[in-house]
Amino acid sequence: MKIYKSEQIRNIVLLGHGGSGKTTLVEAMAHVDGIVKRQGKVEEGNTISDFDKEEIKRGFSISTSCIPIEWQDCKLNLLDAPGYFDFVGEAKQATRVADSAIVVVSGRSGVEVGTEKAFEYAEEMEIPKIVFVTDMDDDNADLNKVLNQLKDIFGKSIAPFQVPIKEDEHFVGFVNIIKMEGRRFVKDHVEPCEIPEDLMDEVNEVREMILEAVAESDEALMEKYFEGEAFTLEEIQNALHNGVIDGSIIPVLCGSGTNNTGVTVLMDSLVKYMPSPREEHTSVYGEDPDTGEEVEVFCDIEHEATALVFKTIIDPYVGKLSLFRVYSGIIKKDMQLMNVNKDQKEKANHIYVLRGREQFEVDEIHAGDIGAFAKLTDVSTGDTLCDPAKLVKLPGISFPESLAYRAVLPIKKGEEEKMTSGIHKLMEEDPTINIILDTENHQELLYGVGGQHLEIVKSKLLDKFKVEIELVKPRIPYRETIKAKGQVRGRHKKQSGGHGQYGDVVMEFEPSGDREKPFVFEEKIVGGSVPKNYFPAVEKGLIESVDRGALAGYKVVGVKATLVDGSYHPVDSSEMAFKMATIAAFKEAMKVCKPIILEPIASVHVVVPDDYMGDIIGDLNKRRGRVMGMNPVKGKQEVVAEVPMGEMYGYSTDLRSMTQGRGMFTLSFERYDEAPAEIQTKVIEDRAQDK
């Protein structure tokens, strides 16, 4: 594959609702370009984008794939991102390095939640957008309905560049509003045709809207517009190009990825209207890793090389592939680079350009382009690699918090290490996966974005690492404490010939008021009934005792223990004896001081559109939550609540269901509170069964 200048490159991410036709559209573009001789289909598992076994099996994209297409002396780096919410991390990776986005909308289904999310991702990275309405060959497709939905949600920047031509309710062509010419689909190409008379009113209305947008882009054009002077085609296209880049214009094109109609026009439009890296990111800003000062990075081959690793692929044959975007300079084969994040040098022995599963080795990659390193020693997604002569750290990738979790264990005993190793390898590919060891409950917790995400991790572990796992509901880390004050005696006495063992303590136990600490220890010994040198032994006894409560074996918190009296033997007393006496006293106290179970309370922040507020609050109430307040956040509402963590299991899936995917939440531990009596009873019963 030849080397392209920055001005000739277009880095474009395809975003949209799951199943809207992104992968089919990429396949259609590859077919138009001649990369594939026969256009593949998602349902047949033979597209160049979806090549992973899981994607083929399930019939939808799981990972972002890069498909470079050479068109009109330009290189279109198409980043086909998954549309399902469980794989938002992949969409975030692709959007981070893209200069523009195609938002794919089904003409049959219209604007969906995934469409709204696509706009959010693009706007978060401040990149221009073009909308492609696909499925126009479907008799139920309705472009006008889609346009009205787009305008209602995304405002007046929505600008249709085409009006569809239909005959007998079938999509047979379109009117190019910019050139005011008709186009008719004939087999695998388009031919000029007359604009149907019955469409002229609609065409003129859309044309006038486009011309107004052109006029507003420049004072000279505005003057020309008011004087009734016609714009030239070049003036219109240049103004639209600038309007697309600054976000004031979002073009809408239509066609069908399945039937390959309107695809050539889309590709022409990407070259014509979408920005090159030089336009969108003439320079970006990173920071000096030593001083933290801002550093400007120029998209120019004359500057030192700087690249960001945005995705990692573990290939069974090549090994680890690190996909990168070059932000300045030239990355060359055998080049020494500094990994700023790890403060470690790396040698780029092999550089590739990827097209789906295919790999083409190249000697260099220029500023603005996308490539892949092979077998680098210690490089992760989000790392900056740069010329050691000019160190700079680029902003990483903002991944969503992974809040769906299950306890994970291997089906076969003895495969724990193999399971953990496999998960860590999958974490290299997918930073939204995490595994945490819960030492208290002796469980490994697997975290992901959603339930489907975790199921795919399970499937990949079996397929790639031959480890079969089980995902189960995790145990909640309850606590125990006391509610009443009481005085108890603990005595440890043992005689077995020679020196015996003797320790005797009288202690007062009461709530300390601080449930963040296991216990507070004081002594109020009068007259030396217990010598000072045994006080540390008493404290050690408490440390051992609070590890396991009397009710259900959970850790004890919030206890104040005061040593008030006791006795000792000048020969038989020892530190061990007083420690054992304290443990006996503690056990007695947990019987008489009204022990209770405490449950962890989480602070939950749920952000949803206004329409879902009632459902969300009602659901939080069912989970025994307390709503603490509400705040407006970017046109939505944030509900702040405190909810028992035991009631939040599965909430990520439930929230998505309640809000059709529009809601999001964060969760953090707040404190421990007394659990209701029925919950305490159930916790104690469940714990007894586990033993």
Side-chain angles (χ1 to χ4, degrees), residues 6 297-306 326-331 335 365-368:
S6 302
V297 179
F298 295 92
C299 184
D300 192 316
I301 60 171
E302 300 302 323
H303 286 254
E304 291 89 347
T306 309
V326 186
Y327 280 90
S328 70
I330 302 174
I331 299 287
M335 190 176 189
I365 302 280
H366 284 217

Side-chain angles (χ1 to χ4, degrees), residues 599 601-602 604 616-628 639-645 647-648 671 676:
E599 61 181 352
I601 305 296
V604 181
I616 295 304
I617 291 171
D619 180 71
L620 290 172
N621 287 334
K622 285 179 186 174
R623 296 173 188 270
R624 299 190 287 118
R626 277 195 310 156
V627 175
M628 310 301 287
V639 181
V640 182
E642 291 183 348
V643 190
M645 287 186 77
E647 303 290 344
M648 291 299 292
R671 65 178 183 281

Side-chain angles (χ1 to χ4, degrees), residues 203-242:
V203 167
N204 287 329
E205 184 183 337
V206 174
R207 169 84 173 176
E208 191 60 29
M209 189 168 62
I210 295 291
L211 295 179
E212 283 179 14
V214 169
E216 287 173 5
S217 68
D218 183 88
E219 285 186 20
L221 294 177
M222 180 69 81
E223 193 174 322
K224 197 173 181 180
Y225 178 73
F226 280 126
E227 289 176 359
E229 199 175 332
F231 298 138
T232 65
L233 179 61
E234 186 179 5
E235 284 175 332
I236 293 173
Q237 289 180 338
N238 287 340
L240 291 174
H241 176 74
N242 293 331

Side-chain angles (χ1 to χ4, degrees), residues 11-15 79 91-103 118-130 243-250 274-276 280-281 325 327:
N11 294 315
I12 307 155
V13 59
L14 283 88
L15 301 169
L79 296 161
K92 292 271 190 174
Q93 288 174 344
T95 312
R96 170 66 180 83
V97 295
D99 299 314
S100 58
I102 302 172
V103 179
F119 269 73
E120 283 179 20
Y121 302 153
E123 284 164 7
E124 182 185 338
M125 296 308 302
E126 299 179 343
I127 58 175
K129 303 167 283 292
I130 189 169
V244 169
I245 290 174
D246 68 24
S248 60
I249 295 173
I250 302 174
M274 288 309 200
S276 71
E280 181 63 10
H281 296 297
R325 152 91 187 250
Y327 280 90

